Structure formats: structure tokens, C-alpha cells
Amino acid sequence: MTEWFEEALHPGLTQGLSMDRVLFRSSTGQQELLIFENRLFGRVLALDGIVQTTEGDEFIYHEMLTHVPILGHGNASRVLVIGGGDGGTAREVLRHRSVEALTMVEIDREVVDLCATWMPSLADGALSDPRLELVIADGARFVAETSRSWDVIIIDSTDPVGPGEVLFSEAFYRACRDRLAPGGVLVTQNGVPHVQAEELTGSYRRLGPSFADVWFYLAPVPTYQGGHMAFGWASDTVALRRTGVAELTRRFEHAGFGTRYYTPEVHAAAFALPASVLALMA
Ligand code: AG3
């Protein structure tokens, strides 16, 4: 009999994925970690009962979380990732030859090691790229204590329940702003607004005091159920968000790599928000 993984992140809604093969299941000390094979999405990583990434749809999330800020910035050489232990974000960041140094701060070494073992296509070699500095530490504390600065900061977090909650706080956002070089941009994983409305409103309000420009952009990630996922965008340089398709195309062609979801047109269009999302930005 097939065992089913049942995610209950949203009250009144569950998502079921057949566990056609369980590859790893344990409590790492920090969190419950489960890796299984699903016939539709390939290997799936769940933390504390919530789907974090799947081989089948991770490209949508990771390409949009990385190429939008890096190509929107236009000249990013230093990038900071908070979270991202599965390596998918690092993989996409390091596709950019313009990126000279990537610092990735992940709280749970087990996530890094287990994903490298069981889901190697996620990092796809990024962990051994000499430009990567992997720090195992609490991301909020790291940002509060460092005096370094970055062109792009990417928050590849879990949802704001449990240990990930601090990564949605006003103090954390302010600390990130203080670590951005001039012309820098911060992006965040900001939940699925149709089913996590408070998350978007909360981030909008907590980012506002620290940044001149706060916005969101959208992409549909099938296993983040409930509709499009929102990514937060925060910068003191308002023009970055308005970079046009022609310029994005020039930058993307110069970057010289291929993508499966990201295109310059998708990039520009992702910032168009439906009225129901605009209504949450209050
Ligand atoms: N980070 C995003 C997890 C969001 C899942 N939650 C949800 N369905 N709202 C995952 C890490 C991928 N690198």
C-alpha cells in the first residue's frame, strides 16, 4: 500500500503526495526532515511536514528567486543567500559569471548534506564552486553581526512558522538593508498570497520602514499549493524594479546561460500584480 505524505500548512486545505519510495526520514535535531520519491514530481524534500522543494518544479522557484534580482540589479558581484540548504538557489546564482562571491548561510548542516546525497541535481556541483562560502549559522544573527555588504541578498526561507519566523521580522529586514551595497536589492520567499494573505501584508508593512521601494512579484510553483507564490522585492533604488525587457534581454544574453522558466518577458511581467494582491499591500 502506498503511503501518502499529507501537508497541512494551510487551515482547511491539505496537499497529498504519494510517497512511492521513502529515501530518508529523520529528525535532524533542528527539524523533521523527509525525502521521498513521488511519481509526478520526482524527489521531494519536506521539513516539519511542509514541502520545501521538488525535483519537478524547483526550477521555477529557484530561477525566479535568483535571476530576477541579479539581472534586475545588472551588476551584482557579491550575493548573500540566507537559507537555501538544498543548494538550488546557489546553483542558479553561480550561473552568473558576474558573481564573484556567494555567501550562503544555512542554519542546518544536515539539510545541506542530505540534499547533496539524495537530491544532487539541486546543488548540481554548486557546493564545490570556489566562489561559494558556506556558513552554517543562524541567518538572522549572521546578518546582525557581520559588517560586510552585498549587492543582492536572497532570503530562501521556510514559512514564518517556527525557526524561520525571525526571517520575516522588521529587525531582520532592517539589518539586511544595512548590509546592502548602494544599488542593492533584497528578495524574499513570501508565501502563496491566496492562502497566506497575512504573510504578504506582514512583510509589506515590515519592509516599508527600511526601503524606498517595496513590491512583490509572482510565479506559480505547483507544489506550493494555492496559486502563485509571491516573492518580496525591496530596494532603495526604485529604478531597478522598472528595468525594461530590452535591457533585461541584453543582460540575459550577456549572461549566456539557458533557463527553463525565466525569460526577460516573464521577469518584467511578474511584477504586474492582480487587484487581490495589491489589496493586501496596505
Ligand atoms: N523555500 C520555500 C518554501 C515555501 C513552502 N511553503 C509554502 N508552500 N508556502 C524552500 C527552499 C527551497 N530552496
Side-chain angles (χ1 to χ4, degrees):
M1 256 240 332
T2 309
E3 220 190 319
W4 284 76
F5 169 84
E6 204 179 307
E7 177 190 72
L9 174 58
H10 314 297
L13 178 67
T14 75
Q15 155 164 265
L17 291 165
S18 59
M19 297 203 276
D20 300 304
R21 189 155 82 98
V22 174
L23 298 158
F24 189 88
R25 186 173 356 207
S26 91
S27 177
T28 67
Q30 309 246 24
Q31 46 203 346
E32 285 284 327
L33 193 147
L34 171 66
I35 299 175
F36 64 92
E37 183 112 22
N38 171 265
R39 64 193 67 184
L40 206 50
F41 288 98
R43 294 187 177 186
V44 179
L45 167 71
L47 294 177
D48 290 335
I50 297 166
V51 174
Q52 294 303 315
T53 201
T54 84
E55 287 178 336
D57 65 2
E58 58 87 11
F59 66 98
I60 304 171
Y61 176 84
H62 291 124
E63 288 182 11
M64 290 301 279
L65 189 62
T66 56
H67 305 323
V68 171
I70 292 173
L71 293 171
H73 180 284
N75 193 25
S77 64
R78 288 157 302 160
V79 177
L80 172 66
V81 172
I82 302 295
D86 55 70
T89 297
R91 178 196 73 215
E92 292 301 319
V93 168
L94 292 168
R95 285 196 205 287
H96 294 265
R97 283 170 302 183
S98 67
V99 171
E100 290 164 12
L102 165 60
T103 305
M104 173 171 143
V105 184
E106 163 62 48
I107 198 165
D108 191 344
R109 179 181 297 279
E110 294 262 16
V111 173
V112 179
D113 293 345
L114 290 165
C115 287
T117 301
W118 295 106
M119 300 175 81
S121 68
L122 265 290
D124 194 25
L127 297 175
S128 49
D129 188 305
R131 294 173 292 166
L132 176 77
E133 172 196 13
L134 174 63
V135 180
I136 301 297
D138 178 309
R141 186 176 302 167
F142 176 88
V143 169
E145 288 174 358
T146 182
S147 55
R148 296 158 65 188
S149 67
W150 287 272
D151 300 310
V152 171
I153 300 180
I154 298 172
I155 314 302
D156 185 10
S157 68
T158 56
D159 291 274
V161 277
E165 201 171 344
V166 55
L167 301 180
F168 292 79
S169 69
E170 191 174 329
F172 175 66
Y173 291 151
R174 193 179 322 111
C176 287
R177 191 268 322 271
D178 292 344
R179 307 280 38 102
L180 278 178
V185 60
L186 165 73
V187 295
T188 64
Q189 178 287 107
N190 238 107
V192 175
H194 196 82
V195 287
Q196 294 172 296
E198 353 53 61
E199 196 173 316
L200 191 134
T201 301
S203 286
Y204 183 71
R205 289 186 184 156
R206 291 190 283 265
L207 285 163
S210 297
F211 293 92
D213 186 39
V214 177
W215 203 256
F216 295 90
Y217 62 100
L218 303 174
V221 186
T223 56
Y224 301 154
Q225 62 170 332
H228 283 69
M229 163 155 279
F231 301 89
W233 172 279
S235 178
D236 281 336
T237 309
V238 183
L240 293 188
R241 174 159 62 88
R242 305 202 181 278
T243 311
V245 172
E247 176 62 15
L248 291 172
T249 302
R250 199 190 61 74
R251 293 176 186 176
F252 185 48
E253 282 172 2
H254 182 74
F257 58 81
T259 46
R260 293 165 70 197
Y261 185 82
Y262 178 93
T263 68
E265 288 80 5
V266 163
H267 176 145
F271 286 92
L273 299 179
S276 59
V277 173
L278 290 172
L280 298 174
M281 294 163 64

